[in-house]
Amino acid sequence: MAARGSYEELARHLSGIGAVRREMSRGFPADCPPASAAVLALLHKYGEMRMSRLAELMVIDMSVTSRHVAHTAERGWVERLPDPRDGRSRLLCLTERGRRQLDTLSEATTEALESFLHDWTDDDIARLNGMLARLRESFGDCRARVTRQDTPHPAARHCSRK
Amino acid sequence: MAARGSYEELARHLSGIGAVRREMSRGFPADCPPASAAVLALLHKYGEMRMSRLAELMVIDMSVTSRHVAHTAERGWVERLPDPRDGRSRLLCLTERGRRQLDTLSEATTEALESFLHDWTDDDIARLNGMLARLRESFGDCRARVTRQDTPHPAARHCSRK
DNA sequence: TATTGTTATACTCTATAACTATA
DNA sequence: TATAGTTATAGAGTATAACAATA
C-alpha cells in the first residue's frame, strides 16, 4: 500500500498519457485510426481469433470491437471467415494487405519513438514495458479475466489468402 | 536506440493503457467526467492559472480546454476571474466546492488503485511514476514546450472565495 | 434459453476554423 | 496586427440496449 500522493500522481500520469498516444498516432495514414492499428497489431501478435477474444484483448465492448473490425475489413486489411466449429462466430485474420499496412504503421511508430526517446537506453524501454505490462495485468486481473492460453504463441497462424 | 520489437511493444501498451484509465474513472460521480477531474487536479496542484497554461498542462487545444473548464465552472467547482494584467485573459481558480469535489475524486482514485495495485510496493509505484514522468517529458520536449516555471510550487495560491 | 456478433443511439474527448474582445 | 479565449462543426472512441442468427 502506498501513500495517497503516489496514487494521485499515478492518476495524473494515466490521464496525461493519452497525449503521448495522440502524439504517436499523428504519423498514421489518414484512413487508419489508432483503433484500427490496434486491431491489426493484435491479430499479428496473437494470430487468428474470434471477435470476442479480440474484444477482451482490447478491453472494450464487443459492439465497439465490431465496428473497428468492420473498418479494417472494408479496407481489405482483415477478413472475417466463418468459424467451422460455431456458426455464430467469425474468425478474424490478417490479410496480405493488412500485413503491409501494419508494416507502414510499424515504421511510423518506430520512427516516432526513436526520435522522442532518443536518450532512452534499451534497458530503460524494457523496464518501462515491464512495468506497463504489470500495470495492465494488475487491472486486468480484477475484471473480465482474459482467458489464459493468451500467451503470444510464436506459431501465430494467419490468413493465407491474398 | 532500442530494438524495433521494444518500440512495438511500447506502442501496444500505450494504446492499451486507456483501458486502465477508463477502469479507474468508473468510480467517478456521473456529472464529473475524467476531463473535469483533470482540470480540478491540475488547478489544485499548480494553483491559479490562465486558460492557455492549463491547455499546455493538459496537452490539448485551448478550445477543448475551454469547454472542460466551462463544465466545471457551471457546477461551481472553478471560477474564471478577470486578469487584472490582461483584459483578454481569465484566471482560473478552484472554489471551495471544487476542493470538496476533488476530495471525493481523490478518495475514489485511491480506493481503486489500492485495490488494483494491492501487491505493488511503495517503491514499485514510485518507479512507475518516475518512468511515466520521464516518458511524458520526452514527448513534451519535442513539441509545444511547456514554459519552465511549471514546477509545482508548494505555495500554490487558490481562490479564496466561497 | 443462452451466446455471438451487429446495429442504433448517446456521450466523452479532441481538432480545426471562424469569431469576439482586448493588446 | 496579433493574442486570449469562445463557439460551431466534425471525427474518433466508448457504452448500453435492442436485435438477428445460431447453439
Side-chain angles (χ1 to χ4, degrees):
Chain A
M1 204 201 339
R4 196 186 184 95
S6 302
Y7 287 134
E8 285 165 1
E9 186 183 347
L10 179 52
R12 272 197 311 276
H13 283 315
L14 289 177
S15 127
I17 225 63
V20 173
R21 190 200 183 196
R22 276 197 304 283
E23 186 62 39
M24 265 222 3
S25 59
R26 282 191 218 285
F28 285 5
D31 66 338
C32 188
S36 294
V39 168
L40 302 186
L42 289 169
L43 285 179
H44 177 254
K45 182 173 169 66
Y46 295 99
E48 187 179 284
M49 68 180 76
R50 328 192 332 168
M51 292 286 316
S52 53
R53 185 152 122 80
L54 181 60
E56 278 178 0
L57 288 174
M58 297 185 74
V59 198
I60 55 178
D61 193 88
M62 192 158 50
S63 64
V64 182
T65 311
S66 178
R67 294 207 333 188
H68 292 323
V69 168
H71 186 268
T72 63
E74 281 160 17
R75 278 152 189 81
W77 300 329
V78 166
E79 265 187 330
R80 287 175 285 196
L81 309 173
D83 184 343
R85 297 188 304 180
D86 186 339
R88 299 167 300 178
S89 178
R90 308 177 76 168
L91 292 178
L92 309 175
C93 75
L94 212 49
T95 64
E96 187 51 39
R97 276 178 70 182
R99 253 187 296 280
R100 279 200 301 273
Q101 177 70 8
L102 191 53
D103 281 343
T104 304
L105 296 169
S106 170
E107 207 142 320
T109 298
T110 301
E111 194 175 325
L113 287 178
E114 266 177 6
S115 107
F116 286 126
L117 307 184
H118 61 87
D119 59 343
W120 288 56
T121 69
D122 243 43
D123 275 358
D124 288 339
I125 297 186
R127 259 193 300 276
L128 176 58
N129 275 330
M131 303 209 80
L132 291 181
R134 184 179 172 202
L135 177 67
R136 294 181 63 189
E137 205 180 336
S138 288
F139 272 77
D141 283 352
C142 298
R143 46 171 299 140
R145 199 169 311 277
V146 176
T147 55
R148 290 318 176 210
Q149 149 215 33
D150 273 353
T151 40
H153 47 95
R157 276 207 313 130
H158 293 117
C159 182
S160 55
R161 310 240 229 110
K162 226 188 15 159
Chain B
M1 201 189 356
R4 194 184 185 95
S6 301
Y7 287 135
E8 285 166 0
E9 185 183 347
L10 180 52
R12 273 197 310 274
H13 283 315
L14 288 178
S15 129
I17 225 64
V20 173
R21 189 200 183 193
R22 279 197 301 284
E23 185 63 39
M24 266 223 2
S25 59
R26 282 191 218 285
F28 284 3
D31 66 338
C32 188
S36 294
V39 168
L40 302 185
L42 289 170
L43 284 179
H44 175 69
K45 181 173 170 63
Y46 295 99
E48 186 179 286
M49 69 179 76
R50 325 188 340 164
M51 291 286 316
S52 53
R53 185 151 122 79
L54 181 59
E56 277 178 1
L57 289 173
M58 297 185 75
V59 196
I60 55 179
D61 193 88
M62 192 158 51
S63 66
V64 182
T65 311
S66 179
R67 295 212 330 194
H68 292 323
V69 168
H71 186 269
T72 63
E74 282 161 16
R75 279 151 189 82
W77 300 329
V78 165
E79 264 187 330
R80 288 177 284 196
L81 309 172
D83 183 343
R85 296 189 304 178
D86 187 339
R88 300 167 301 178
S89 176
R90 307 177 77 167
L91 293 176
L92 309 174
C93 75
L94 212 49
T95 64
E96 188 52 39
R97 277 179 69 183
R99 254 186 294 279
R100 281 201 301 272
Q101 177 70 8
L102 190 55
D103 282 344
T104 304
L105 296 170
S106 170
E107 208 143 319
T109 297
T110 301
E111 195 175 323
L113 287 178
E114 267 176 6
S115 108
F116 286 126
L117 308 183
H118 60 87
D119 59 344
W120 288 55
T121 67
D122 242 42
D123 276 356
D124 288 339
I125 298 187
R127 257 193 300 276
L128 176 58
N129 275 330
M131 303 208 79
L132 292 180
R134 185 180 170 201
L135 178 67
R136 294 180 63 189
E137 204 180 336
S138 288
F139 272 77
D141 282 352
C142 299
R143 48 172 296 140
R145 198 170 311 278
V146 177
T147 56
R148 290 318 177 211
Q149 148 216 39
D150 275 352
T151 40
H153 48 97
R157 274 209 313 133
H158 294 115
C159 184
S160 55
R161 312 238 228 111
K162 222 185 22 161

